[in-house]
Amino acid sequence: MSSSPANPKEEETSTPRDFIRTMIDSDLASGQHGGRVATRFPPEPNGYLHIGHAKSICLNFGLAEEFGGTCNLRFDDTNPETEDPEYARSIQDDIRWLGFEWDSLHYTSDYFDQLYTWALELIEKGKAYVDSLNEEEIRAHRGTVTEAGRNSPYRDRSVEENLDLFARMKAGEFADGAHVLRAKIDMAAANMKMRDPLLYRIRHAHHYRTGDRWCLYPMYDFAHGQSDAIERITHSLCTLEFENNRELYDWLTAAIGIEDPPHQTEFARLNISYTVLSKRKMLELVEGGHVDGWDDPRMATLSGLRRRGYTPSSIRAFCDRIGMAKANSVVDVAQLEHAIRDDLNTEAPRVLAVLRPLKVVIENYPEGQNEELDAPYWPHDVPKEGSRALPFSRELWIDRDDFSLEPPQGFFRLAPGREVRLRYAYFIRCERVIQDETSGEVTELRCTYDPATRGGKAPDGRKVKGTIHWLSAAHALPAEVRLYDRLFSEENPSPAKSGPDFKQFLNPDSLEVIERAWIEPSLASAEPGSRFQFERLGYFYLDSAAARGDKKVFNRTVTLRDSWAKKRPRAAKPAQSRQPKTQRGTPPKPSQPATPPTERPLSPEQTLAFEYYRDEFEIPPSDARMIAAEPVLDTLLVQAVQAGGVPTSVTRWLVHELPASAREGGIEALPFTGAEIAELATLLDEATISGPVAKKLFTELLETGGSPRQWVEERGLQQITDSAGSKRSSPATANKSPPTATARKASSASSSAKSWPRAEGRRIHNR
RNA sequence: UGGGGCGUGGCCAAGUGGUAAGGCACCGGAUUUUGGUUCCGGAUACCGUAGGUUCGAAUCCUACCGCCCCAGCCA
């Protein structure tokens, strides 16, 4: 875009003029960089992208689009010990998912030869030297923020000696840490980054791209600006913590004689309330099992947001709207939620679902009769066409929240004697309430309908205050629904560096699993990865990664705005959803988070079992609860543990793999016992077999029974242990386990919508 | 007791000498077969503080206060 808009006053609604765009405007006006705009997104392939990266991606790629420039993707892979092609793959997937495409793809490791040549030049010019102090000595010589550093005794080595040493460093003559190459600048500089910064370190490590060709690796500062220069980047944008590096960036590009060098500009990184956005903390959540992997829908990773149901356009809109500045700030998570609601309002078809079912019998509707009602997919204000048939019959499900025995002020849903509209159907009136004699729990509503109100309008013109959603009990389909909420209950989970651990602010109610929700029959053909609005409840995403067999799993992306819940905070959590805490038996440990409410209360025996599994077996509460509530699972777990199985490993198979249908016939109908499941779990834990093999064997076990261990021996299914791989240094291992956990999950997901790279080969040495 | 940054309503964020945009959140009202959406309207800002320059300052000057970053052979 070399010409400015005809009318400078013209409104630029799509892209606000932040300080970076303003700067580029003036660069262009003054003819900097020959009128070119070239940016780049330079991630290190050592972790998954999160929404903070999305801000940078939108900035860099957005600028290229707006100014008719280019944007490269460059993997800043200068540290062989933490990087992995798996990450590089997922990063590319995420960028494309967001809707951007790079002009060209580069790796800093492709520039290692050029970088080395420049290092030689620096030595020849007397601007760099080989230092032989050890790590501790270097630190001691660096001084502190208030005291100048001291020169290294090796600082004045001759050019010849430096050249010789540096060549031998490259040749592999020295051990890690024996020497480093440093820039010769000023050990008394007020800017710590200028106190003879390290340029190269020796690292006898295998690089995922250059293999064993190098044992000498450039530091960030010696690689980044030069890579920008090689790619002829004009505007090098990064986050605030690199401000101090800018002086060095400029020194280095000048020292090697770059003409028209790129310039670095810093902006504030993104923070969002009620969440954490740092690789370290996110890794801690994954490794501590506080979330279910990097793509857990509660994580702010792009993969997590994707599984939560966020659209790429909503994330882009969010990034546009939060602005770009240099002040450290925390964006309200409500801003993100607004972005996705705003997008889905016009994109998600409306359907009906009942989360906490309450039976309604229409007494004056003939038994055995049913009819179909036409229901549009879109509300009147969304200009889209399309509808489906909704079956109606005598017995219905409604949501328990939509009925109140003693309606509070302003409640205009169903209550004794009151009339409401069933969406797209009829007016019904509640005539009688059936309650459990002992507990008083409402178990059923007896209602009458007005046949004249078919379609939802009364010919006599009478009005009803409320419209509620419903489903025909005989036609509804079962589904699992996962209600996600913010991961932390504290707005800022990490208040101070030395403050309390952020994990103590984890929200115990961030996930509620509803195992038996009902969805309308039209959803039988819904494609994984599609999004719906469950009317009056929120937006939901059909998750393919979580599906088990033919069971559909819907993740709640975000609730609808709910001014009623706001007005009456108590009404949001009605008595029905509160879990009756049993008083019998041992009291629950006070340190444990409250049981997430689910639809079915546990018996006293089941509660005991649940608490035991949760506390003694350390099974996650939701899983422990599911097992305790299900006799077949309960028996299998007990059998498995008696046979020596590790409870948490066995649980994975019981809860996440065993199809619901297998529980129907009772324990006797199964061709296997818990002992075989324990055997299988152990084989996998020991890494005797791989995940896919384990899954195959499990399928076989379900059908025919038998001994997994025996099969493995008979058929030679053992994995080959890669001894070369296991020699990899240990720091790398810590960073490698997360992608593996994710990859394992991806490979167990249904075949479609697989967005996770696999890591079959590496699984071997990760256990 | 060094250096580099940043401080505008509850949260983001424009504005760079002429008398405080916009978004989110919040509160009213209208419309509504989603307590959704949409549409109207409203309340919040002495622009970190204190001085100064000027006819006039969020914008210029001075001092002070607060927060963030830098002492990895990480990026």
Side-chain angles (χ1 to χ4, degrees):
Chain A
M1 213 193 286
S2 50
S3 62
S4 46
N7 179 1
K9 284 270 161 80
E10 201 171 24
E11 252 185 274
E12 185 51 271
T13 44
S14 56
T15 50
R17 292 278 105 173
D18 50 69
F19 76 102
I20 292 178
R21 279 170 244 258
T22 305
M23 169 187 73
I24 296 179
D25 283 341
S26 72
D27 284 350
L28 254 24
S30 64
Q32 295 287 306
H33 309 295
R36 284 185 314 120
V37 174
T39 60
R40 99 271 91 116
F41 175 61
E44 182 187 12
N46 72 344
Y48 293 101
L49 257 28
H50 54 67
I51 191 160
H53 295 110
K55 178 180 178 181
S56 176
I57 292 170
C58 290
L59 206 219
N60 282 295
F61 286 92
L63 251 21
E65 281 173 13
E66 289 162 37
F67 290 94
T70 58
C71 181
N72 292 345
L73 170 60
R74 180 172 72 236
F75 288 108
D76 215 344
D77 54 357
T78 56
N79 186 348
E81 296 184 338
T82 58
E83 294 152 8
D84 192 295
E86 169 101 2
Y87 292 119
R89 275 259 290 156
S90 81
I91 287 169
Q92 295 178 60
D93 287 348
D94 283 346
I95 295 172
R96 289 203 169 105
W97 178 75
L98 262 187
F100 295 105
E101 187 64 46
W102 42 92
D103 284 276
S104 55
L105 171 63
H106 300 281
Y107 295 82
T108 300
S109 52
D110 286 344
Y111 307 143
F112 282 175
D113 286 304
Q114 173 65 261
L115 260 14
Y116 182 80
T117 304
W118 274 326
L120 257 20
E121 285 176 28
L122 247 31
I123 293 173
E124 280 160 5
K125 289 180 189 164
K127 291 184 174 181
Y129 63 97
V130 172
D131 195 359
S132 306
L133 254 24
N134 66 33
E135 194 168 346
E136 223 167 278
E137 292 164 332
I138 287 180
R139 187 174 345 177
H141 279 73
R142 185 145 40 213
T144 70
V145 290
T146 54
E147 299 163 45
R150 288 151 29 228
N151 285 170
S152 164
Y154 303 100
R155 197 174 198 259
D156 295 316
R157 287 215 253 234
S158 68
V159 169
E160 292 67 33
E161 188 181 3
N162 280 324
L163 250 17
D164 172 61
L165 247 16
F166 192 51
R168 289 162 60 195
M169 284 164 68
K170 185 190 181 212
E173 285 187 31
F174 307 112
D176 287 5
H179 308 279
V180 292
L181 184 73
R182 301 180 73 171
K184 190 187 284 191
I185 307 181
D186 177 9
M187 287 307 289
N191 180 354
M192 298 288 288
K193 297 287 184 208
M194 298 299 276
R195 320 246 261 226
D196 286 12
L198 273 63
L199 268 23
Y200 269 97
R201 77 286 214 186
I202 300 172
R203 196 112 309 172
H204 289 272
H206 186 87
H207 187 282
Y208 76 101
R209 295 193 79 245
T210 60
D212 298 313
R213 208 149 61 78
W214 293 89
C215 59
L216 203 54
Y217 292 92
M219 299 288 291
Y220 165 82
D221 287 302
F222 193 66
H224 199 91
Q226 283 83 330
S227 299
D228 284 342
I230 291 169
E231 293 174 28
R232 299 191 69 222
I233 299 302
T234 57
H235 298 270
S236 180
L237 310 174
C238 64
T239 44
L240 253 28
E241 66 269 28
F242 291 99
E243 278 175 326
N244 296 321
N245 298 62
R246 189 176 58 232
E247 190 179 354
L248 179 54
Y249 185 106
D250 292 339
W251 189 92
L252 250 9
T253 45
I256 61 174
I258 299 295
E259 280 177 41
D260 188 21
H263 286 292
Q264 174 181 309
T265 303
E266 311 85 15
F267 60 90
R269 64 190 307 154
L270 174 65
N271 295 291
I272 299 181
S273 58
Y274 299 99
T275 193
V276 291
L277 284 183
S278 92
K279 271 181 199 170
R280 197 208 96 222
K281 286 175 185 148
M282 293 172 114
L283 177 67
E284 226 176 304
L285 293 175
V286 172
E287 295 202 319
H290 300 100
V291 294
D292 191 22
W294 286 90
D295 65 342
D296 185 301
R298 290 166 293 185
M299 293 279 274
T301 48
L302 293 180
S303 48
L305 290 165
R306 179 160 57 225
R307 276 191 64 197
R308 179 80 170 252
Y310 274 79
T311 56
S313 60
S314 71
I315 292 174
R316 278 186 264 117
F318 170 78
C319 290
D320 281 348
R321 279 189 277 224
I322 54 174
M324 186 64 63
K326 298 194 73 160
N328 291 314
S329 58
V330 181
V331 174
D332 194 334
V333 70
Q335 189 97 239
L336 221 206
E337 294 174 347
H338 171 263
I340 188 59
R341 285 193 188 107
D342 194 36
D343 191 12
L344 259 22
N345 178 42
T346 54
E347 297 302 322
R350 309 305 120 122
V351 294
L352 301 186
V354 172
L355 267 29
R356 304 174 213 278
L358 173 60
K359 172 78 62 82
V360 167
V361 176
I362 311 294
E363 294 188 311
N364 60 339
Y365 196 89
E367 241 164 297
Q369 179 177 318
N370 59 64
E371 65 186 297
E372 292 196 328
L373 299 157
D374 185 59
Y377 277 121
W378 307 98
H380 61 91
D381 50 0
V382 174
K384 293 187 174 175
E385 301 289 321
S387 68
R388 80 290 186 189
L390 224 39
F392 185 88
S393 65
R394 179 180 161 92
E395 295 199 359
L396 311 172
W397 295 120
I398 66 166
D399 250 306
R400 303 195 82 100
D401 288 358
D402 288 334
F403 173 78
S404 175
L405 256 186
E406 294 161 27
Q409 263 294 323
F411 183 89
F412 42 82
R413 280 109 102 145
L414 202 55
R418 288 207 191 169
E419 187 173 50
V420 297
R421 169 169 37 235
L422 294 179
R423 175 132 247 229
Y424 308 125
Y426 295 98
F427 286 10
I428 62 167
R429 181 183 302 280
C430 175
E431 309 289 356
R432 282 186 298 132
V433 178
I434 299 177
Q435 291 170 271
D436 182 279
E437 281 181 18
T438 52
S439 70
E441 187 196 0
V442 175
T443 55
E444 186 177 315
L445 265 25
R446 309 292 289 196
C447 300
T448 53
Y449 85 117
D450 178 354
T453 57
R454 189 175 203 270
K457 275 203 172 69
D460 63 3
R462 77 180 186 279
K463 301 269 191 235
V464 286
K465 280 301 266 287
T467 298
I468 65 174
H469 55 277
W470 57 278
L471 250 21
S472 166
H475 302 86
L477 269 22
E480 178 175 320
V481 174
R482 299 181 180 178
L483 304 180
Y484 291 102
D485 201 351
R486 44 193 64 163
L487 230 200
F488 291 90
S489 44
E490 208 58 36
E491 193 173 324
N492 176 6
S494 324
K497 52 256 129 202
S498 56
D501 185 89
F502 73 101
K503 293 193 296 303
Q504 88 177 59
F505 299 118
L506 246 4
N507 173 12
D509 300 321
S510 61
L511 169 60
E512 178 185 356
V513 177
I514 297 181
E515 309 255 0
R516 283 190 80 83
W518 296 104
I519 56 176
E520 64 167 74
S522 74
L523 254 14
S525 57
E527 291 291 327
S530 48
R531 303 175 178 87
F532 300 91
Q533 184 193 108
F534 289 175
E535 290 210 50
R536 305 209 308 130
L537 296 173
Y539 293 100
F540 291 80
Y541 178 73
L542 181 50
D543 192 350
S544 50
R548 301 173 207 152
D550 57 356
K551 187 175 192 181
K552 287 190 158 54
V553 176
F554 286 93
N555 296 333
R556 183 173 69 195
T557 309
V558 67
T559 61
L560 257 26
R561 279 183 65 212
D562 189 349
S563 51
W564 168 243
K566 224 176 295 173
K567 231 178 267 177
R568 300 197 52 90
R570 283 161 181 280
K573 291 255 171 190
Q576 292 94 320
S577 74
R578 225 174 287 138
Q579 212 42 241
K581 283 231 170 84
T582 95
Q583 320 59 4
R584 268 167 282 182
T586 48
K589 284 189 184 172
S591 62
Q592 292 294 338
T595 309
T598 52
E599 75 279 33
R600 271 179 305 180
L602 297 178
S603 73
E605 292 78 3
Q606 290 173 334
T607 303
L608 273 180
F610 157 63
E611 288 170 0
Y612 188 82
Y613 297 157
R614 181 193 61 191
D615 299 336
E616 303 301 322
F617 285 176
E618 300 186 330
I619 294 173
S622 59
D623 290 353
R625 187 185 167 78
M626 178 177 167
I627 294 174
E630 188 63 61
V632 171
L633 296 182
D634 193 71
T635 308
L636 288 172
L637 178 64
V638 171
Q639 290 172 342
V641 172
Q642 282 170 351
V646 176
T648 48
S649 306
V650 172
T651 297
R652 185 205 150 202
W653 291 98
L654 295 183
V655 174
H656 300 290
E657 303 294 345
L658 191 69
S661 58
R663 305 177 208 148
E664 279 161 16
I667 190 75
E668 281 79 14
L670 298 175
F672 58 90
T673 69
E676 282 75 37
I677 294 185
E679 213 170 280
L680 186 65
T682 304
L683 287 167
L684 182 61
D685 284 347
E686 294 167 341
T688 304
I689 56 176
S690 69
V693 169
K695 281 210 72 163
K696 236 168 266 164
L697 294 184
F698 186 67
T699 315
E700 199 162 330
L701 186 62
L702 288 180
E703 286 168 15
T704 62
S707 161
R709 190 172 286 281
Q710 210 174 314
W711 291 335
V712 169
E713 281 162 15
E714 285 169 0
R715 306 178 201 173
L717 296 171
Q718 298 91 333
Q719 289 194 114
I720 312 301
T721 303
D722 177 355
S723 57
S726 60
K727 262 195 265 172
R728 287 198 188 177
S729 51
S730 54
T733 312
N735 284 289
K736 290 225 173 69
S737 52
T740 306
T742 310
R744 189 195 309 143
K745 194 181 312 148
S747 63
S748 71
S750 70
S751 59
S752 59
K754 213 175 288 170
S755 50
W756 285 94
R758 289 160 182 264
E760 309 294 359
R762 287 189 309 100
R763 173 171 304 118
I764 297 158
H765 44 264
N766 279 333
R767 291 244 178 71

